[in-house]
Amino acid sequence: MSLSSILSADAIDNAIKECQAPDSFCPKKFFQSCGLSKKSPADVKKAFAILDNDASGFIEEEELKFFLQRFSPGARVLTAAETKAFLSAADDDSDGKIGADEFQSLVLA
């Protein structure tokens, strides 16, 4: 399954274009632009499973670097600052990784 089975390709492309410049990525804005914030909790869980590249049940910092590439293979990697800010915004229990519930809370907030 790919994210384009949940989100429209045009919405993904537009969201990626909005954060092309280094240090311009904002998770909340990205989720709104790509349409994920308007999806059902079940769809957000499906998206999480796709983004959890190693199927560990968590999105770790290393996976976050390549977050945009999971949406579009040609997208850039997140900068170290963006990765840390994303983790900080979503990691409610401070365990250094993002669980499915934390991800859903950030996306649907």
Side-chain angles (χ1 to χ4, degrees):
M1 180 184 289
S2 72
L3 288 162
S4 60
S5 65
I6 300 168
L7 304 167
S8 82
D10 285 345
I12 290 172
D13 287 346
N14 288 336
I16 294 288
K17 284 178 186 158
E18 288 178 1
C19 59
Q20 275 183 322
D23 295 317
S24 66
F25 175 77
C26 170
K28 288 225 176 259
K29 183 177 180 192
F30 183 82
F31 296 139
Q32 290 169 351
S33 295
C34 74
L36 192 58
S37 62
K38 296 179 186 92
K39 295 295 180 179
S40 70
D43 280 342
V44 173
K45 293 258 187 199
K46 287 179 197 170
F48 176 86
I50 294 166
L51 295 166
D52 177 16
N53 202 36
D54 63 3
S56 66
F58 297 94
I59 300 173
E60 292 87 9
E61 189 170 344
E62 186 63 27
E63 289 170 308
L64 280 179
K65 288 182 199 174
F66 304 102
F67 179 81
L68 295 176
Q69 292 179 350
R70 301 296 290 159
F71 285 83
S72 177
R76 69 178 180 87
V77 296
L78 295 181
T79 65
E82 289 170 322
T83 303
K84 296 258 186 236
F86 192 169
L87 187 61
S88 176
D91 184 17
D92 295 333
D93 61 7
S94 301
D95 64 355
K97 53 194 175 186
I98 301 170
D101 291 339
E102 292 170 318
F103 183 75
Q104 187 168 314
S105 292
L106 179 67
V107 171
L108 298 177

